[in-house]
Amino acid sequence: MEKIIGSCCAATALLALVSSCTEEQKRPNIICIVCEDISPMVGCFGDKVAVTPNLDEFSKSAIRFTNVHSNIGVSSPSRYALITGRYPMADGANYMRTLGSPDQKPEGVQPYSVIVNPDVKCYTEYLRKAGYYCTNNAKTDYQFTIPATAWDECGTDAHWKNRPEGMPFFSIFNIEVTHESRVWRRTNEKLSVNPSDIVVPPYYPDNDIVRHDMAVAYFNITEMDKMFKKLVDELKEANVYDNTIIIWYSDNGGPLPHHKREIYDRGTNVPFMISFPDGYKAGSVSDRLVGFVDIPATILSLAEIKAPDYMHGVPFLGKYASKEERQYVYGGRDRLDECIDKQGYIRDKRYRYVRNYYPGTPVYLDVKFRLSMPMMNNILELNKESRLDSIQASFFDNKRLEEELYDLEKDPYELNNIVNDKSYSSVLERLRKDYDSWIETYVPDWFIPEKDNIKRILPDGKQPFAAAPEFSMKDGLVTICSQTEGASINYRIVEENGNKGRWMIYSSPVQLKNNENIEAVSARIGYKNSKVVTFK
């Protein structure tokens, strides 16, 4: 692994900034439209209940990927993978929300920002280095405070329209209307589907409360579909649609019990589509296995940037796309808010193997946040009254085995654990072996308890600041460094009249004109941004 040390050296390890607008315009714009908490509950993915006309139409010009999997069925650890290209359990980032409210954490765990190896960057830095204007509107939730160098703009007003003329853009828009919390917050909305038309899966009791919450989830997906169209229409209205790659996906599986927070298909399998300006493979379907760690590497590849060696992901499209397809995707779950658990999984195209590190406990975790959902309370009440059938009641059984194996071709709901079926012994042995190899290769430190890991990265309990930028000048060129290993530097020019230019990532000495000043700030994942320093 190539290690990036010291900010003066760090800059040279990244791609040089493209200076010519003409050269920049050869690169495609890229936009990611990311929704929250949905499994493939979309018409073009085969859901006959979903009302999603805009995504269905978009699918005709896009590639539909049916085998894309998050590393966990919940947002924060997934977003860590989506911004770094690394398995969150490799870096102590697989817990549900290291930042945020202490009320959603076990006793003794206070909010903290994950600190990782100094070579790890938000992948958007590489895009910014290559001349892209990068915006995020507006969710982050990365498990660490946002480095100043991650985005040109990040917030509710961030938009590719704000870029300087001639610059290609990379933009993420997060649509939150499908989030789990919207199931109870939007329960009184006029529904887009008839609850009686819904197919209730066998792990739910079939009653009016369950059907209503499922219908609300479908209604939220319909609203997201409209918001998707609005964002695409903005590209067309600005005459940039014909040079823009559009990517759409969800941050994890569905919002309902048995979906979110689980590491079975209903929690990890997400819909994913991508369209190209030239119509590349328009309307096609791919069952290629893709993990969330692959997405940053692929976006860099689409921008003709080679992914750094520290990324765990493999590009599946673009200039550097791997010709060899993945055999497996991997993931696992840990602490979910205040509840502690540990599971890992490996999945190929047909089978899923799960290892339970707390055998003899239920799959169900009594997460307080979820208790606002009517159907969750209804299911709990029915279980208390022993009115659930054996499949539905298994959610609460203290009978988890150390291992689970599912044949998704025969058992798409993953209800029949065949780990003790001798006819699958060769499959079991193969998946065990590859799961253990993944642990050893990528996530050997995953088993350090969270409290011990916090002490390791924050020995004094305080989040460090990146060291302030330091300046030197030679032959009219300003060099900027930071004493923090692995820090990146944002800088901007301040003109004589006080006007300030846009922030850029430092990559090489900067030429100043007469009476110009330069401002800079240092940043590193897990560290607080340094103070802004001015060189005159």
Side-chain angles (χ1 to χ4, degrees):
M1 182 185 297
E2 182 180 0
K3 193 172 185 181
I4 301 175
I5 57 173
S7 293
C8 293
C9 298
T12 62
L14 299 173
L15 292 175
L17 179 67
V18 179
S19 58
S20 164
C21 285
T22 301
E23 291 177 357
E24 288 169 353
Q25 289 172 337
K26 293 179 181 177
R27 297 180 185 268
N29 306 311
I30 306 171
I31 181 172
C32 291
I33 302 174
V34 185
C35 61
E36 298 196 62
D37 296 358
I38 75 164
S39 301
M41 300 164 67
V42 183
C44 57
F45 280 81
D47 193 304
K48 300 185 185 311
V49 176
V51 180
T52 52
N54 299 304
L55 286 165
D56 296 348
E57 182 65 26
F58 175 71
S59 71
K60 298 174 184 177
S61 62
I63 307 171
R64 264 180 297 145
F65 285 84
T66 60
N67 237 337
V68 176
H69 294 265
S70 64
N71 40 278
I72 187 173
V74 76
S75 60
S76 290
S78 293
R79 288 178 185 272
Y80 180 86
L82 289 169
I83 195 65
T84 65
R86 291 175 59 82
Y87 293 111
M89 54 279 288
D91 300 325
N94 206 48
Y95 305 100
M96 177 50 187
R97 199 155 289 133
T98 62
L99 296 167
S101 171
D103 295 338
Q104 293 180 317
K105 294 175 177 58
E107 185 177 350
V109 176
Q110 295 297 313
Y112 64 98
S113 186
V114 170
I115 296 177
V116 298
N117 201 309
D119 57 343
V120 178
K121 311 285 183 185
C122 297
Y123 76 93
T124 50
E125 285 195 21
Y126 296 92
L127 291 163
R128 292 185 67 207
K129 284 282 182 178
Y132 276 84
Y133 191 78
C134 296
T135 70
N136 180 60
N137 186 325
K139 198 165 187 176
T140 51
D141 209 15
Y142 303 139
Q143 309 283 52
F144 51 80
T145 51
I146 307 167
T149 46
W151 299 99
D152 289 284
E153 292 183 53
C154 184
T156 54
D157 295 325
H159 204 290
W160 53 263
K161 291 181 180 179
N162 302 329
R163 74 197 189 285
E165 185 177 355
M167 285 190 72
F169 60 80
F170 171 74
S171 293
I172 294 179
F173 290 88
N174 295 278
I175 301 176
E176 299 184 26
V177 70
T178 50
H179 187 267
E180 172 188 34
S181 62
R182 302 316 195 264
V183 174
W184 59 84
R185 292 177 184 172
R186 296 167 61 84
T187 189
N188 295 321
E189 298 287 341
K190 185 178 180 180
L191 301 177
S192 57
V193 303
N194 189 329
S196 64
D197 294 336
I198 287 173
V199 178
V200 178
Y203 44 77
Y204 292 148
D206 189 348
N207 61 41
D208 289 344
I209 296 174
V210 169
R211 284 182 174 274
H212 179 79
D213 278 3
M214 291 186 70
V216 175
Y218 275 112
F219 168 70
N220 293 342
I221 291 171
T222 298
E223 293 302 295
M224 175 273 295
D225 180 77
K226 296 174 183 176
M227 296 175 185
F228 169 84
K229 181 180 186 299
K230 182 178 179 182
L231 290 168
V232 172
D233 285 347
E234 287 183 338
L235 299 169
K236 295 177 179 179
E237 291 163 3
N239 295 318
V240 295
Y241 176 83
D242 291 338
N243 191 37
T244 301
I245 296 171
I246 303 172
I247 305 172
W248 172 80
Y249 61 95
S250 175
D251 66 345
N252 50 252
L256 304 174
H258 284 276
H259 297 176
K260 192 167 181 177
R261 300 176 182 86
E262 307 301 335
I263 60 166
Y264 306 99
D265 257 23
R266 51 191 179 261
T268 67
N269 184 211
V270 303
F272 185 103
M273 291 193 284
I274 180 169
S275 71
F276 292 87
D278 63 358
Y280 174 70
K281 291 190 174 181
S284 65
V285 180
S286 172
D287 70 345
R288 178 173 182 158
L289 279 170
V290 173
F292 268 22
V293 292
D294 300 328
I295 293 176
T298 299
I299 289 172
L300 292 179
S301 177
L302 293 171
E304 301 186 358
I305 302 168
K306 193 175 188 301
D309 291 341
Y310 66 72
M311 283 189 175
H312 296 148
V314 178
F316 56 93
L317 290 167
K319 181 177 180 180
Y320 297 100
S322 172
K323 294 180 181 178
E324 294 185 10
E325 295 188 17
R326 276 186 171 277
Q327 286 185 280
Y328 307 106
V329 289
Y330 309 86
R333 78 174 186 177
D334 283 280
R335 173 179 62 76
L336 295 162
D337 293 355
E338 70 278 9
C339 298
I340 295 175
D341 192 29
K342 198 175 200 72
Q343 292 178 290
Y345 84 82
I346 178 175
R347 188 198 192 283
D348 64 13
K349 286 188 176 181
R350 177 169 176 175
Y351 300 100
R352 179 187 297 272
Y353 169 83
V354 175
R355 187 169 297 174
N356 293 309
Y357 297 94
Y358 289 87
T361 62
V363 175
Y364 171 75
L365 297 177
D366 200 33
V367 176
K368 293 177 184 176
F369 186 77
R370 182 166 54 186
L371 297 180
S372 295
M373 189 176 296
M375 69 181 287
M376 185 72 257
N377 286 287
N378 173 251
I379 293 170
L380 286 168
E381 185 64 27
L382 293 175
N383 182 60
K384 184 178 179 181
E385 297 171 357
S386 300
R387 294 169 57 194
L388 298 177
D389 67 27
S390 59
I391 291 174
Q392 296 152 12
S394 65
F395 196 32
F396 305 97
D397 286 344
N398 295 318
K399 296 179 181 178
R400 269 199 295 179
L401 301 179
E402 186 175 332
E403 295 177 299
E404 301 171 36
L405 180 65
Y406 299 97
D407 182 341
L408 287 108
E409 187 175 287
K410 297 180 179 179
D411 178 25
Y413 287 118
E414 294 169 276
L415 300 175
N416 181 29
N417 182 8
I418 54 175
V419 72
N420 292 321
D421 187 330
K422 299 297 185 183
S423 64
Y424 289 93
S425 57
S426 61
V427 174
L428 177 62
E429 191 57 37
R430 170 174 61 85
L431 294 177
R432 273 180 185 158
K433 181 179 178 181
D434 281 285
Y435 175 82
D436 288 337
S437 177
W438 172 68
I439 295 287
E440 182 180 350
T441 304
Y442 292 100
V443 296
D445 295 332
W446 183 23
F447 303 96
I448 299 173
E450 183 177 21
K451 291 182 181 179
D452 292 342
N453 195 52
I454 294 171
K455 291 177 182 177
R456 181 177 64 86
I457 64 173
L458 299 172
D460 61 358
K462 297 180 180 179
Q463 184 183 4
F465 280 89
E470 299 175 1
F471 303 87
S472 61
M473 177 176 276
K474 183 178 180 180
D475 299 329
L477 295 174
V478 179
T479 298
I480 315 174
C481 291
S482 171
Q483 294 302 312
T484 295
E485 183 181 12
S488 299
I489 293 172
N490 245 13
Y491 78 95
R492 64 181 176 184
I493 303 299
V494 183
E495 298 176 353
E496 183 179 7
N497 60 9
N499 290 336
K500 297 180 178 181
R502 69 179 184 89
W503 289 103
M504 297 180 286
I505 296 184
Y506 177 80
S507 61
S508 60
V510 180
Q511 178 77 58
L512 288 182
K513 298 177 182 178
N514 290 336
N515 299 315
E516 283 184 339
N517 300 325
I518 188 169
E519 292 182 342
V521 57
S522 302
R524 175 182 158 181
I525 287 180
Y527 284 56
K528 294 181 180 179
N529 297 322
S530 77
K531 63 181 181 180
V532 177
V533 180
T534 302
F535 177 77
K536 299 181 179 181

